[in-house]
Amino acid sequence: MHRQSQISRRGFLRNAGGGFGMIALASMLSQDGLLAHGPESPGTAVPGLSPRQPHHEATAQRVIFLFMSGGPSHLELFDPKPDLQRLNGQPLPESFGPVATRRNVERNRLLATRRTFRKHGQAGLTSRTCCPISPVR
């Protein structure tokens, strides 16, 4: 018999998106005076962690939060590794020292990126050439 997973809305908001949904919920409940233990409740604040007045008054009306799990790594997009390209297919060099993992990763061969990098823009930022937003010159 298949048991349906029981997850509450608060549990979902706490776990989804790194907990940012729960932060938004707590903020909205606090604004409406519905938060059970808000900063205005005496004796609930942890010393040193109580809310402080911001340096500047907030002006943002809305926020677009993008939690993009599984997107390309910044290491693949903006961090070229010429030595990794040179050592592609070879075992990890002894100079790296011992590698202790549960999956015997030390036996795996190094895998370089299949993409190329080049400098873009006036600042000369090195980035991967496969991205559709990369300027072509």
Side-chain angles (χ1 to χ4, degrees):
M1 180 177 189
H2 176 67
R3 239 179 5 164
Q4 189 176 12
S5 174
Q6 296 294 321
I7 185 167
S8 67
R9 278 185 252 170
R10 287 185 186 209
F12 173 78
L13 291 171
R14 180 178 52 246
N15 294 328
F20 280 93
M22 195 62 154
I23 292 172
L25 175 64
S27 174
M28 290 187 297
L29 290 174
S30 177
Q31 288 174 354
D32 294 341
L34 300 173
L35 192 61
H37 297 289
E40 55 277 345
S41 302
T44 60
V46 176
L49 296 179
S50 60
R52 299 181 187 144
Q53 289 297 321
H55 294 289
H56 307 284
E57 193 63 33
T59 58
Q61 298 295 313
R62 291 170 184 80
V63 173
I64 298 174
F65 174 70
L66 302 175
F67 183 77
M68 299 169 51
S69 178
S73 166
H74 67 283
L75 299 174
E76 274 288 306
L77 293 177
F78 301 108
D79 192 11
K81 303 210 176 321
D83 287 341
L84 184 58
Q85 294 295 114
R86 183 176 51 81
L87 297 171
N88 184 35
Q90 299 178 22
L92 190 66
E94 301 264 339
S95 61
F96 279 82
V99 177
T101 65
R102 296 187 321 190
R103 297 187 180 197
N104 296 320
V105 174
E106 68 276 0
R107 293 188 310 212
N108 293 347
R109 306 254 177 216
L110 295 174
L111 181 63
T113 183
R114 292 180 287 173
R115 308 292 183 197
T116 57
F117 289 83
R118 57 177 246 225
K119 296 190 180 295
H120 295 282
Q122 292 177 346
L125 176 69
T126 302
S127 65
R128 198 165 87 176
T129 57
C130 73
C131 298
I133 60 170
S134 295
V136 178
R137 289 188 181 189

